[in-house]
Amino acid sequence: MDTNKKKINRKISVAPMMDCTDRHDRYFLRLISKNVMLYSEMVATKSAIHGDRKRILGFREEEKPVALQVGGSDKNELAEVAKLAEQFGYDEININLGCPSKKVQKNSFGACLMKEPDLVAECISNMVNSCKIPVTAKTRIGVDEIEDFEYLNSFVNKIKQSGCKTIILHARKALLKGLTPKQNLNIPKLNYEMVYEIKKANPDLEIIINGGISQTEQIKKHLEHCDGVMIGRAIYQNPYFLTDIEKEILNTNEVPSREQIAKQIISYLEEEVKLGTKVNHIMRHTVGLYHGQPGSKDWKRYLSDNMMARDSDFQKAKHIMTIVQNNEKANQLNS
Ligand SMILES: Cc1cc2nc3c(=O)[nH]c(=O)nc-3n(C[C@H](O)[C@H](O)[C@H](O)COP(=O)(O)O)c2cc1C
């Protein structure tokens, strides 16, 4: 099948997040939502090319549609990874042009590439020419002293001319010095208007807005101006929020209960443990399943007492359904 012809629905996507959106997390999120687009954590070109490819790039068919996010600034390496992404079955390859971390800066990729539009254009064009899957970019609205519509618009146009039709804009500029990566996700202030203006000036581009979005009402408002909304932390902390998104934004009639999700993740855990995966590598992503619910404390305590150690035993997982059933009862009484 020519994957290029398959239209990817990016109305709602879950943001790429290091140490969070690995293949186990994506499998878990996919149990909750069938219609959102998922992104991998950022993978550096050198790891993808020289590392244990099956471990770094492998994923299950059930996670699809899924994009591989890559970090790099060497056009040949980026082209090679784009090809690998296609071979591994990813639906999209996304280049990270927004990460401000020290490590990423040291390797000259991520947000510092916003200062090198010609290099970015060359990299993207090489990626586009080396694979048939869509090449997309995720960037910020500015970097350091630059937070200016004209600069961003010209950067976006360079990206567009090199063959990329979808751009994810994190509506906050990146500061390369003086802030920790965490502060760079909260400081300075978000500027959604700038993203709306970019969409207005480039109606032919698919513009996805990102940053600080945590409610369906906010999503609806952004969708009046942009083509899609990408959400990170709000979903990682409260993954069941995806069911509100499915119902209210994507018009899905039936969504799974937390009990159904828990049962399915335990089956997955059983299969994966047999293949050598550690219990905590999967279950750590499920901590927020009961976020805001009466049973949240019990769920978290059970996980932390039984399933978060490096040598946690799968046999303990079987008892987790008792917690799930108690939580269901508590919720029924509550409603
Ligand atoms: C723990 C964590 C890891 C992140 N890792 C990446 C990453 O690998 N690649 C990337 O482009 N952005 C990364 N980000 C940024 C997110 O993709 C997103 O742009 C940011 O969190 C803003 O969206 P939010 O307010 O909905 O969380 C990360 C954010 C967090 C919180």
Side-chain angles (χ1 to χ4, degrees):
M1 183 174 60
D2 184 353
T3 40
N4 229 2
K5 288 190 185 137
K6 206 176 94 186
K7 177 99 180 83
I8 298 179
N9 180 354
R10 299 188 187 82
K11 192 168 184 182
I12 305 292
S13 51
V14 181
M17 287 178 282
M18 287 294 268
D19 294 325
C20 299
T21 52
D22 62 13
R23 68 183 182 92
H24 303 308
D25 185 47
R26 298 192 305 262
Y27 188 92
F28 171 61
L29 297 176
R30 188 58 80 211
L31 294 175
I32 309 174
S33 164
K34 298 290 174 230
N35 299 301
V36 298
M37 180 70 189
L38 299 176
Y39 285 75
S40 75
E41 311 166 90
M42 182 187 72
V43 174
T45 47
K46 287 200 172 26
S47 328
I49 295 168
H50 305 296
D52 173 353
R53 283 187 188 163
K54 205 167 156 236
R55 186 181 60 76
I56 296 168
L57 302 177
F59 67 96
R60 287 199 190 207
E61 195 65 23
E62 291 96 318
E63 295 163 39
K64 280 165 83 69
V66 59
L68 175 70
Q69 189 191 56
V70 62
S73 57
D74 178 305
K75 60 182 183 184
N76 296 324
E77 287 179 0
L78 283 162
E80 196 173 338
V81 177
K83 213 182 291 166
L84 281 174
E86 182 175 21
Q87 283 164 6
F88 269 79
Y90 285 92
D91 299 279
E92 167 186 328
I93 174 98
N94 173 271
I95 180 168
N96 182 328
L97 304 172
C99 178
S101 84
K102 287 227 164 63
K103 197 170 157 199
V104 161
Q105 280 185 57
K106 213 174 118 206
N107 292 300
S108 307
F109 53 89
C112 53
L113 288 176
M114 285 194 79
K115 295 180 179 176
E116 299 195 57
D118 292 328
L119 173 61
V120 168
E122 256 186 88
C123 289
I124 292 181
S125 151
N126 260 31
M127 291 167 79
V128 169
N129 290 331
S130 73
C131 67
K132 290 202 196 76
I133 52 174
V135 178
T136 66
K138 178 167 180 281
T139 187
R140 300 268 191 146
I141 53 166
V143 58
D144 288 340
E145 65 291 344
I146 313 164
E147 184 174 343
D148 166 63
F149 175 80
E150 291 310 325
Y151 187 89
L152 181 63
N153 197 36
S154 123
F155 186 60
V156 159
N157 273 280
K158 280 259 171 191
I159 295 177
K160 176 162 78 178
Q161 279 151 21
S162 52
C164 165
K165 305 275 178 278
T166 303
I167 302 180
I168 301 153
L169 285 171
H170 182 180
R172 189 188 316 270
K173 79 170 172 177
L175 294 171
L176 299 179
K177 281 199 192 99
L179 292 187
T180 63
K182 196 167 174 201
Q183 286 172 320
N184 249 310
L185 292 171
N186 298 303
I187 308 172
K189 263 176 63 180
L190 289 155
N191 182 350
Y192 295 132
E193 282 302 322
M194 181 91 100
V195 181
Y196 300 165
E197 288 303 312
I198 291 289
K199 174 64 197 179
K200 234 189 253 169
N202 301 276
D204 53 333
L205 273 179
E206 184 180 31
I207 297 290
I208 312 292
I209 192 166
N210 166 245
I213 302 162
S214 60
Q215 287 160 10
T216 50
E217 284 314 307
Q218 291 173 309
I219 297 175
K220 285 179 195 164
K221 187 160 172 275
H222 290 306
L223 287 174
E224 287 170 15
H225 304 274
C226 301
D227 303 291
V229 172
M230 174 179 268
I231 305 165
R233 289 164 292 181
I235 288 176
Y236 196 76
Q237 284 152 16
N238 177 18
Y240 203 70
F241 174 43
L242 280 171
T243 61
D244 292 336
I245 292 177
E246 281 282 348
K247 285 185 289 192
E248 289 179 44
I249 311 289
L250 302 169
N251 301 321
T252 307
N253 291 327
E254 247 183 78
V255 294
S257 65
R258 290 182 175 85
E259 186 177 8
Q260 287 168 329
I261 296 159
K263 269 190 193 148
Q264 290 179 64
I265 200 71
I266 299 300
S267 308
Y268 173 75
L269 181 66
E270 185 165 17
E271 282 173 34
E272 282 287 324
V273 163
K274 284 185 194 144
L275 300 171
T277 304
K278 300 250 184 271
V279 169
N280 64 327
H281 287 183
I282 295 175
M283 296 311 283
R284 70 189 184 95
H285 299 302
T286 70
V287 170
L289 181 60
Y290 283 90
H291 181 93
Q293 297 294 299
S296 179
K297 255 194 197 155
D298 293 340
W299 173 260
K300 284 188 194 164
R301 192 178 310 121
Y302 190 90
L303 289 177
S304 112
D305 290 350
N306 300 287
M307 303 178 98
M308 290 299 162
R310 273 207 206 149
D311 56 351
S312 291
D313 180 1
F314 171 69
Q315 292 312 316
K316 299 250 175 80
K318 293 190 173 148
H319 304 296
I320 206 166
M321 288 317 289
T322 317
I323 307 285
V324 171
Q325 275 138 22
N326 287 345
N327 282 356
E328 286 307 309
K329 275 186 216 144
N331 284 339
Q332 276 160 16
L333 287 177
N334 236 23
S335 62

mmCIF file of all heavy atoms in Angstrom, residues 15-18 20 41-42 69 96 99 138 170 185 210-213 230-234, ligand 1:
data_model
loop_
_atom_site.group_PDB
_atom_site.id
_atom_site.type_symbol
_atom_site.label_atom_id
_atom_site.label_comp_id
_atom_site.label_asym_id
_atom_site.label_seq_id
_atom_site.Cartn_x
_atom_site.Cartn_y
_atom_site.Cartn_z
ATOM 1 N N ALA A 15 1.461 14.497 22.208
ATOM 2 C CA ALA A 15 2.797 15.046 21.933
ATOM 3 C C ALA A 15 3.906 14.029 22.182
ATOM 4 O O ALA A 15 3.774 13.169 23.056
ATOM 5 C CB ALA A 15 3.025 16.269 22.826
ATOM 6 N N PRO A 16 4.998 14.157 21.432
ATOM 7 C CA PRO A 16 6.167 13.331 21.741
ATOM 8 C C PRO A 16 6.737 13.762 23.082
ATOM 9 O O PRO A 16 6.900 14.956 23.320
ATOM 10 C CB PRO A 16 7.153 13.670 20.614
ATOM 11 C CG PRO A 16 6.709 14.978 20.070
ATOM 12 C CD PRO A 16 5.243 15.088 20.315
ATOM 13 N N MET A 17 7.002 12.810 23.971
ATOM 14 C CA MET A 17 7.566 13.159 25.287
ATOM 15 C C MET A 17 8.601 12.117 25.696
ATOM 16 O O MET A 17 8.275 10.944 25.839
ATOM 17 C CB MET A 17 6.451 13.249 26.340
ATOM 18 C CG MET A 17 5.571 14.484 26.206
ATOM 19 S SD MET A 17 4.242 14.525 27.428
ATOM 20 C CE MET A 17 3.075 13.363 26.740
ATOM 21 N N MET A 18 9.828 12.598 25.880
ATOM 22 C CA MET A 18 10.929 11.713 26.294
ATOM 23 C C MET A 18 10.586 11.043 27.609
ATOM 24 O O MET A 18 10.038 11.698 28.506
ATOM 25 C CB MET A 18 12.203 12.537 26.543
ATOM 26 C CG MET A 18 12.852 13.050 25.308
ATOM 27 S SD MET A 18 13.502 11.740 24.312
ATOM 28 C CE MET A 18 15.132 11.648 24.934
ATOM 29 N N CYS A 20 8.346 9.220 28.288
ATOM 30 C CA CYS A 20 6.906 9.010 28.470
ATOM 31 C C CYS A 20 6.325 8.223 27.302
ATOM 32 O O CYS A 20 5.891 7.074 27.484
ATOM 33 C CB CYS A 20 6.166 10.340 28.607
ATOM 34 S SG CYS A 20 6.687 11.324 30.011
ATOM 35 N N GLU A 41 8.821 9.133 21.413
ATOM 36 C CA GLU A 41 9.777 10.043 22.053
ATOM 37 C C GLU A 41 10.769 10.443 20.965
ATOM 38 O O GLU A 41 10.905 9.731 19.962
ATOM 39 C CB GLU A 41 10.588 9.314 23.122
ATOM 40 C CG GLU A 41 9.806 8.500 24.105
ATOM 41 C CD GLU A 41 10.737 7.569 24.896
ATOM 42 O OE1 GLU A 41 11.226 8.005 25.943
ATOM 43 O OE2 GLU A 41 10.940 6.424 24.479
ATOM 44 N N MET A 42 11.520 11.504 21.202
ATOM 45 C CA MET A 42 12.540 11.863 20.208
ATOM 46 C C MET A 42 13.658 10.813 20.202
ATOM 47 O O MET A 42 14.142 10.407 21.255
ATOM 48 C CB MET A 42 13.148 13.222 20.537
ATOM 49 C CG MET A 42 14.162 13.640 19.491
ATOM 50 S SD MET A 42 15.039 15.124 19.959
ATOM 51 C CE MET A 42 16.083 14.513 21.245
ATOM 52 N N GLN A 69 9.481 10.502 15.943
ATOM 53 C CA GLN A 69 10.128 11.817 15.987
ATOM 54 C C GLN A 69 11.639 11.650 16.049
ATOM 55 O O GLN A 69 12.158 10.859 16.846
ATOM 56 C CB GLN A 69 9.688 12.657 17.187
ATOM 57 C CG GLN A 69 10.242 14.079 16.999
ATOM 58 C CD GLN A 69 10.118 14.961 18.200
ATOM 59 O OE1 GLN A 69 10.589 14.629 19.275
ATOM 60 N NE2 GLN A 69 9.481 16.110 18.007
ATOM 61 N N ASN A 96 12.374 17.155 15.098
ATOM 62 C CA ASN A 96 12.296 17.994 16.290
ATOM 63 C C ASN A 96 13.093 19.283 16.073
ATOM 64 O O ASN A 96 14.313 19.257 15.932
ATOM 65 C CB ASN A 96 12.860 17.215 17.493
ATOM 66 C CG ASN A 96 12.778 17.998 18.793
ATOM 67 O OD1 ASN A 96 12.867 19.210 18.815
ATOM 68 N ND2 ASN A 96 12.598 17.284 19.897
ATOM 69 N N CYS A 99 13.247 21.360 20.787
ATOM 70 C CA CYS A 99 13.742 20.963 22.111
ATOM 71 C C CYS A 99 14.938 21.842 22.507
ATOM 72 O O CYS A 99 15.905 21.962 21.761
ATOM 73 C CB CYS A 99 14.154 19.499 22.111
ATOM 74 S SG CYS A 99 14.816 19.006 23.706
ATOM 75 N N LYS A 138 8.142 19.792 14.104
ATOM 76 C CA LYS A 138 7.580 20.354 15.344
ATOM 77 C C LYS A 138 8.555 21.415 15.827
ATOM 78 O O LYS A 138 9.739 21.140 16.027
ATOM 79 C CB LYS A 138 7.419 19.257 16.396
ATOM 80 C CG LYS A 138 6.886 19.757 17.735
ATOM 81 C CD LYS A 138 6.467 18.582 18.609
ATOM 82 C CE LYS A 138 5.916 18.994 19.953
ATOM 83 N NZ LYS A 138 6.937 19.352 20.937
ATOM 84 N N HIS A 170 4.547 24.700 18.872
ATOM 85 C CA HIS A 170 4.441 24.857 20.321
ATOM 86 C C HIS A 170 4.427 26.366 20.557
ATOM 87 O O HIS A 170 5.411 27.045 20.245
ATOM 88 C CB HIS A 170 5.636 24.159 20.972
ATOM 89 C CG HIS A 170 5.632 24.210 22.458
ATOM 90 N ND1 HIS A 170 6.615 23.634 23.222
ATOM 91 C CD2 HIS A 170 4.771 24.761 23.345
ATOM 92 C CE1 HIS A 170 6.357 23.840 24.504
ATOM 93 N NE2 HIS A 170 5.243 24.527 24.600
ATOM 94 N N LEU A 185 9.130 24.628 29.510
ATOM 95 C CA LEU A 185 7.773 24.201 29.138
ATOM 96 C C LEU A 185 6.725 25.092 29.795
ATOM 97 O O LEU A 185 5.536 24.956 29.556
ATOM 98 C CB LEU A 185 7.537 22.745 29.552
ATOM 99 C CG LEU A 185 8.354 21.696 28.790
ATOM 100 C CD1 LEU A 185 8.191 20.326 29.426
ATOM 101 C CD2 LEU A 185 7.935 21.651 27.333
ATOM 102 N N ASN A 210 0.049 23.580 19.806
ATOM 103 C CA ASN A 210 0.447 22.818 20.993
ATOM 104 C C ASN A 210 0.866 23.769 22.119
ATOM 105 O O ASN A 210 1.365 24.852 21.876
ATOM 106 C CB ASN A 210 1.623 21.886 20.606
ATOM 107 C CG ASN A 210 2.346 21.298 21.810
ATOM 108 O OD1 ASN A 210 3.515 21.576 22.059
ATOM 109 N ND2 ASN A 210 1.662 20.475 22.563
ATOM 110 N N GLY A 211 0.632 23.297 23.358
ATOM 111 C CA GLY A 211 1.113 24.038 24.521
ATOM 112 C C GLY A 211 0.010 24.426 25.491
ATOM 113 O O GLY A 211 -0.868 25.219 25.137
ATOM 114 N N GLY A 212 0.034 23.824 26.682
ATOM 115 C CA GLY A 212 -0.869 24.245 27.754
ATOM 116 C C GLY A 212 -2.347 23.958 27.529
ATOM 117 O O GLY A 212 -3.197 24.623 28.140
ATOM 118 N N ILE A 213 -2.658 22.991 26.706
ATOM 119 C CA ILE A 213 -4.079 22.716 26.410
ATOM 120 C C ILE A 213 -4.537 21.502 27.228
ATOM 121 O O ILE A 213 -3.912 20.444 27.164
ATOM 122 C CB ILE A 213 -4.280 22.485 24.884
ATOM 123 C CG1 ILE A 213 -3.785 23.720 24.124
ATOM 124 C CG2 ILE A 213 -5.747 22.164 24.563
ATOM 125 C CD1 ILE A 213 -3.521 23.494 22.653
ATOM 126 N N MET A 230 -2.362 19.436 19.501
ATOM 127 C CA MET A 230 -1.487 18.412 20.090
ATOM 128 C C MET A 230 -1.413 18.641 21.595
ATOM 129 O O MET A 230 -1.219 19.780 22.042
ATOM 130 C CB MET A 230 -0.091 18.505 19.475
ATOM 131 C CG MET A 230 0.912 17.578 20.138
ATOM 132 S SD MET A 230 2.543 17.684 19.374
ATOM 133 C CE MET A 230 2.434 16.381 18.162
ATOM 134 N N ILE A 231 -1.566 17.561 22.358
ATOM 135 C CA ILE A 231 -1.583 17.689 23.825
ATOM 136 C C ILE A 231 -0.559 16.738 24.424
ATOM 137 O O ILE A 231 -0.477 15.569 24.033
ATOM 138 C CB ILE A 231 -2.994 17.349 24.372
ATOM 139 C CG1 ILE A 231 -4.027 18.239 23.685
ATOM 140 C CG2 ILE A 231 -3.068 17.526 25.892
ATOM 141 C CD1 ILE A 231 -5.437 17.775 23.859
ATOM 142 N N GLY A 232 0.211 17.236 25.381
ATOM 143 C CA GLY A 232 1.230 16.404 26.012
ATOM 144 C C GLY A 232 0.897 16.066 27.445
ATOM 145 O O GLY A 232 0.253 15.055 27.740
ATOM 146 N N ARG A 233 1.304 16.964 28.354
ATOM 147 C CA ARG A 233 1.224 16.646 29.780
ATOM 148 C C ARG A 233 -0.171 16.315 30.277
ATOM 149 O O ARG A 233 -0.337 15.425 31.106
ATOM 150 C CB ARG A 233 1.823 17.805 30.587
ATOM 151 C CG ARG A 233 3.321 17.890 30.433
ATOM 152 C CD ARG A 233 3.862 19.219 30.887
ATOM 153 N NE ARG A 233 3.463 20.301 30.021
ATOM 154 C CZ ARG A 233 3.811 21.571 30.173
ATOM 155 N NH1 ARG A 233 4.545 21.910 31.208
ATOM 156 N NH2 ARG A 233 3.433 22.503 29.325
ATOM 157 N N ALA A 234 -1.181 17.026 29.769
ATOM 158 C CA ALA A 234 -2.539 16.793 30.284
ATOM 159 C C ALA A 234 -2.976 15.346 30.030
ATOM 160 O O ALA A 234 -3.734 14.774 30.827
ATOM 161 C CB ALA A 234 -3.520 17.768 29.645
HETATM 162 C C1 LIG B 1 8.477 14.949 29.917
HETATM 163 C C2 LIG B 1 8.456 15.681 28.593
HETATM 164 C C3 LIG B 1 9.251 15.225 27.554
HETATM 165 C C4 LIG B 1 9.221 15.885 26.310
HETATM 166 N N1 LIG B 1 9.933 15.355 25.269
HETATM 167 C C5 LIG B 1 9.790 15.894 24.027
HETATM 168 C C6 LIG B 1 10.365 15.272 22.881
HETATM 169 O O1 LIG B 1 11.004 14.223 22.960
HETATM 170 N N2 LIG B 1 10.189 15.893 21.678
HETATM 171 C C7 LIG B 1 9.460 17.055 21.542
HETATM 172 O O2 LIG B 1 9.316 17.570 20.431
HETATM 173 N N3 LIG B 1 8.907 17.638 22.603
HETATM 174 C C8 LIG B 1 9.028 17.071 23.830
HETATM 175 N N4 LIG B 1 8.376 17.639 24.886
HETATM 176 C C9 LIG B 1 7.504 18.807 24.660
HETATM 177 C C10 LIG B 1 6.079 18.332 24.349
HETATM 178 O O3 LIG B 1 6.026 17.604 23.138
HETATM 179 C C11 LIG B 1 5.115 19.529 24.233
HETATM 180 O O4 LIG B 1 5.542 20.347 23.177
HETATM 181 C C12 LIG B 1 5.076 20.361 25.518
HETATM 182 O O5 LIG B 1 4.958 19.538 26.651
HETATM 183 C C13 LIG B 1 3.910 21.354 25.474
HETATM 184 O O6 LIG B 1 2.680 20.684 25.390
HETATM 185 P P1 LIG B 1 1.738 20.437 26.687
HETATM 186 O O7 LIG B 1 1.604 21.756 27.373
HETATM 187 O O8 LIG B 1 0.448 19.927 26.126
HETATM 188 O O9 LIG B 1 2.443 19.436 27.567
HETATM 189 C C14 LIG B 1 8.405 17.025 26.136
HETATM 190 C C15 LIG B 1 7.635 17.479 27.205
HETATM 191 C C16 LIG B 1 7.648 16.817 28.418
HETATM 192 C C17 LIG B 1 6.763 17.309 29.538
#
